[in-house]
Coordinates of all heavy atoms in Angstrom, one line a residue:
I88 N -60.0 -5.7 -28.5 CA -59.3 -6.9 -28.8 C -59.5 -7.9 -27.6 O -59.8 -9.1 -27.8 CB -57.8 -6.6 -29.0 CG1 -57.7 -5.8 -30.3 CG2 -57.0 -8.0 -29.1 CD1 -56.3 -5.4 -30.6
M89 N -59.3 -7.4 -26.4 CA -59.5 -8.3 -25.2 C -60.9 -8.8 -25.0 O -61.1 -9.9 -24.6 CB -59.0 -7.6 -23.9 CG -57.5 -7.2 -24.0 SD -56.4 -8.5 -24.4 CE -56.5 -9.5 -22.9
V90 N -61.9 -8.0 -25.4 CA -63.3 -8.4 -25.3 C -63.6 -9.4 -26.3 O -64.4 -10.4 -26.0 CB -64.2 -7.1 -25.4 CG1 -65.6 -7.5 -25.6 CG2 -64.0 -6.3 -24.2
M91 N -63.0 -9.3 -27.5 CA -63.4 -10.3 -28.6 C -62.6 -11.6 -28.5 O -63.0 -12.5 -29.2 CB -63.1 -9.6 -29.9 CG -64.0 -8.4 -30.2 SD -65.7 -8.8 -30.4 CE -65.7 -9.7 -31.9
L92 N -61.5 -11.7 -27.8 CA -60.7 -12.9 -27.8 C -61.5 -14.1 -27.3 O -61.5 -15.2 -28.0 CB -59.5 -12.7 -26.9 CG -58.3 -12.0 -27.5 CD1 -57.2 -11.9 -26.5 CD2 -57.9 -12.6 -28.8
P93 N -62.3 -14.1 -26.2 CA -63.1 -15.3 -25.9 C -64.1 -15.7 -26.9 O -64.3 -16.9 -27.2 CB -63.8 -14.9 -24.5 CG -63.0 -13.8 -24.0 CD -62.4 -13.1 -25.2
L94 N -64.7 -14.7 -27.6 CA -65.7 -15.0 -28.6 C -65.0 -15.6 -29.8 O -65.5 -16.6 -30.4 CB -66.4 -13.7 -29.0 CG -67.5 -13.8 -30.1 CD1 -68.6 -14.6 -29.5 CD2 -67.9 -12.4 -30.5
V95 N -63.9 -15.1 -30.2 CA -63.2 -15.6 -31.4 C -62.7 -17.1 -31.1 O -62.8 -18.0 -31.9 CB -62.0 -14.7 -31.7 CG1 -61.0 -15.4 -32.7 CG2 -62.4 -13.4 -32.3
Y96 N -62.2 -17.3 -29.8 CA -61.8 -18.6 -29.5 C -63.0 -19.6 -29.5 O -62.9 -20.7 -30.0 CB -61.1 -18.6 -28.1 CG -60.7 -20.0 -27.7 CD1 -59.5 -20.6 -28.2 CD2 -61.4 -20.7 -26.8 CE1 -59.1 -21.8 -27.8 CE2 -61.0 -22.0 -26.4 CZ -59.9 -22.5 -26.9 OH -59.5 -23.8 -26.5
G97 N -64.1 -19.2 -28.9 CA -65.3 -20.1 -28.9 C -65.8 -20.4 -30.3 O -66.2 -21.5 -30.6
M98 N -65.8 -19.4 -31.1 CA -66.3 -19.6 -32.5 C -65.3 -20.5 -33.3 O -65.7 -21.4 -34.0 CB -66.5 -18.3 -33.2 CG -67.7 -17.5 -32.7 SD -67.8 -15.9 -33.4 CE -68.4 -16.3 -35.0
G99 N -64.0 -20.3 -33.0 CA -63.0 -21.2 -33.6 C -63.2 -22.6 -33.1 O -63.0 -23.6 -33.9
R100 N -63.5 -22.8 -31.9 CA -63.6 -24.1 -31.3 C -64.8 -24.8 -31.9 O -64.8 -26.0 -32.1 CB -63.8 -24.0 -29.8 CG -63.7 -25.3 -29.1 CD -63.4 -25.2 -27.7 NE -63.5 -26.6 -27.1 CZ -64.6 -27.0 -26.4 NH1 -65.5 -26.1 -26.1 NH2 -64.6 -28.2 -26.0
M101 N -65.9 -24.0 -32.2 CA -67.1 -24.6 -32.8 C -66.8 -25.2 -34.1 O -67.5 -26.2 -34.6 CB -68.2 -23.6 -32.9 CG -68.8 -23.3 -31.5 SD -70.1 -22.0 -31.5 CE -70.6 -21.8 -33.1
L102 N -65.8 -24.7 -34.8 CA -65.5 -25.2 -36.2 C -64.8 -26.6 -36.1 O -65.0 -27.4 -37.0 CB -64.5 -24.3 -36.9 CG -65.1 -23.0 -37.3 CD1 -64.0 -22.1 -37.9 CD2 -66.1 -23.2 -38.4
F103 N -64.1 -26.9 -35.0 CA -63.4 -28.2 -34.9 C -64.1 -29.2 -34.1 O -63.7 -30.4 -34.1 CB -62.0 -27.9 -34.3 CG -61.2 -27.0 -35.2 CD1 -60.9 -25.7 -34.8 CD2 -60.7 -27.5 -36.4 CE1 -60.1 -24.9 -35.6 CE2 -59.9 -26.7 -37.2 CZ -59.6 -25.4 -36.8
V104 N -65.2 -28.9 -33.4 CA -65.9 -29.9 -32.6 C -66.9 -30.6 -33.6 O -67.6 -30.0 -34.4 CB -66.7 -29.2 -31.5 CG1 -67.6 -30.2 -30.7 CG2 -65.7 -28.6 -30.5
R105 N -66.9 -31.9 -33.4 CA -67.8 -32.7 -34.3 C -69.3 -32.5 -34.1 O -70.1 -32.3 -35.0 CB -67.5 -34.2 -34.2 CG -66.1 -34.6 -34.8 CD -66.0 -36.0 -34.7 NE -64.6 -36.4 -35.1 CZ -64.3 -37.1 -36.1 NH1 -65.2 -37.6 -36.9 NH2 -63.0 -37.3 -36.4
H106 N -69.7 -32.5 -32.8 CA -71.1 -32.3 -32.5 C -71.1 -31.7 -31.1 O -70.3 -32.0 -30.3 CB -71.9 -33.6 -32.6 CG -71.4 -34.7 -31.7 ND1 -71.6 -34.8 -30.4 CD2 -70.5 -35.7 -32.1 CE1 -71.0 -35.9 -29.9 NE2 -70.3 -36.5 -30.9
A107 N -72.2 -31.0 -30.8 CA -72.4 -30.4 -29.5 C -73.5 -31.2 -28.8 O -74.6 -31.3 -29.4 CB -72.7 -29.0 -29.6
R108 N -73.3 -31.6 -27.6 CA -74.4 -32.3 -26.9 C -75.2 -31.3 -26.1 O -74.6 -30.5 -25.4 CB -73.8 -33.4 -26.0 CG -73.0 -34.4 -26.7 CD -72.5 -35.4 -25.8 NE -73.5 -36.3 -25.6 CZ -73.6 -37.3 -24.6 NH1 -72.6 -37.3 -23.7 NH2 -74.5 -38.1 -24.5
T109 N -76.5 -31.2 -26.3 CA -77.3 -30.2 -25.6 C -78.4 -31.0 -24.9 O -78.9 -32.1 -25.2 CB -78.0 -29.3 -26.6 OG1 -78.7 -30.0 -27.5 CG2 -77.0 -28.4 -27.3
G110 N -78.7 -30.4 -23.7 CA -79.8 -31.0 -22.9 C -81.1 -30.5 -23.3 O -81.3 -29.9 -24.3
S111 N -82.1 -30.8 -22.4 CA -83.5 -30.4 -22.7 C -83.7 -28.9 -22.7 O -84.5 -28.3 -23.4 CB -84.5 -31.1 -21.7 OG -84.1 -30.7 -20.4
N112 N -82.8 -28.2 -21.9 CA -83.0 -26.7 -21.8 C -82.0 -26.0 -22.8 O -81.9 -24.8 -22.7 CB -82.8 -26.3 -20.4 CG -81.4 -26.6 -19.9 OD1 -80.6 -27.3 -20.5 ND2 -81.1 -26.2 -18.7
G113 N -81.3 -26.8 -23.6 CA -80.4 -26.1 -24.6 C -79.0 -25.9 -24.0 O -78.2 -25.5 -24.8
A114 N -78.8 -26.2 -22.8 CA -77.5 -26.0 -22.2 C -76.6 -27.2 -22.6 O -77.0 -28.3 -22.9 CB -77.5 -26.0 -20.7
S115 N -75.3 -26.9 -22.7 CA -74.3 -27.9 -23.2 C -74.2 -28.9 -22.1 O -74.1 -28.7 -20.9 CB -73.0 -27.2 -23.4 OG -72.1 -28.2 -23.8
M116 N -74.1 -30.2 -22.6 CA -74.0 -31.3 -21.6 C -72.6 -31.9 -21.8 O -72.4 -33.0 -21.3 CB -75.1 -32.3 -21.9 CG -76.5 -31.8 -21.8 SD -76.9 -31.5 -20.1 CE -76.9 -33.2 -19.4
A117 N -71.7 -31.2 -22.3 CA -70.3 -31.8 -22.5 C -69.7 -32.1 -21.2 O -68.9 -33.1 -21.1 CB -69.5 -30.9 -23.4
C118 N -69.9 -31.3 -20.2 CA -69.2 -31.5 -18.9 C -69.9 -32.7 -18.2 O -69.2 -33.4 -17.4 CB -69.3 -30.3 -18.1 SG -71.0 -29.8 -17.6
C119 N -71.2 -32.9 -18.4 CA -71.8 -34.1 -17.7 C -71.7 -35.4 -18.5 O -71.9 -36.4 -17.9 CB -73.3 -33.7 -17.6 SG -73.6 -32.2 -16.7
A120 N -71.3 -35.3 -19.7 CA -71.2 -36.6 -20.5 C -70.1 -37.4 -20.0 O -70.2 -38.7 -20.0 CB -70.9 -36.2 -22.0
R121 N -69.0 -36.9 -19.6 CA -67.9 -37.7 -19.1 C -68.2 -38.3 -17.8 O -67.7 -39.4 -17.5 CB -66.6 -36.8 -18.9 CG -66.1 -36.3 -20.3 CD -64.8 -35.6 -20.2 NE -64.4 -35.2 -21.5 CZ -63.8 -34.1 -21.8 NH1 -63.6 -33.2 -20.8 NH2 -63.5 -33.7 -23.0
S122 N -69.0 -37.7 -16.9 CA -69.3 -38.3 -15.6 C -70.3 -39.4 -15.7 O -70.3 -40.3 -14.9 CB -69.8 -37.2 -14.7 OG -71.0 -36.7 -15.2
R123 N -71.1 -39.4 -16.8 CA -72.1 -40.5 -17.0 C -71.5 -41.7 -17.7 O -72.0 -42.8 -17.5 CB -73.3 -39.9 -17.8 CG -74.1 -38.9 -17.1 CD -75.2 -38.5 -17.9 NE -76.0 -37.5 -17.2 CZ -76.9 -36.7 -17.8 NH1 -77.2 -36.9 -19.1 NH2 -77.5 -35.8 -17.1

Side-chain angles (χ1 to χ4, degrees):
I88 293 172
M89 298 308 286
V90 168
M91 294 295 289
L92 281 180
L94 181 67
V95 169
Y96 178 78
M98 290 176 71
R100 189 163 173 256
M101 286 177 15
L102 290 174
F103 295 108
V104 175
R105 290 183 188 243
H106 56 82
R108 302 182 83 194
T109 57
S111 60
N112 61 355
S115 177
M116 299 291 290
C118 63
C119 302
R121 291 188 182 141
S122 63
R123 291 183 184 167

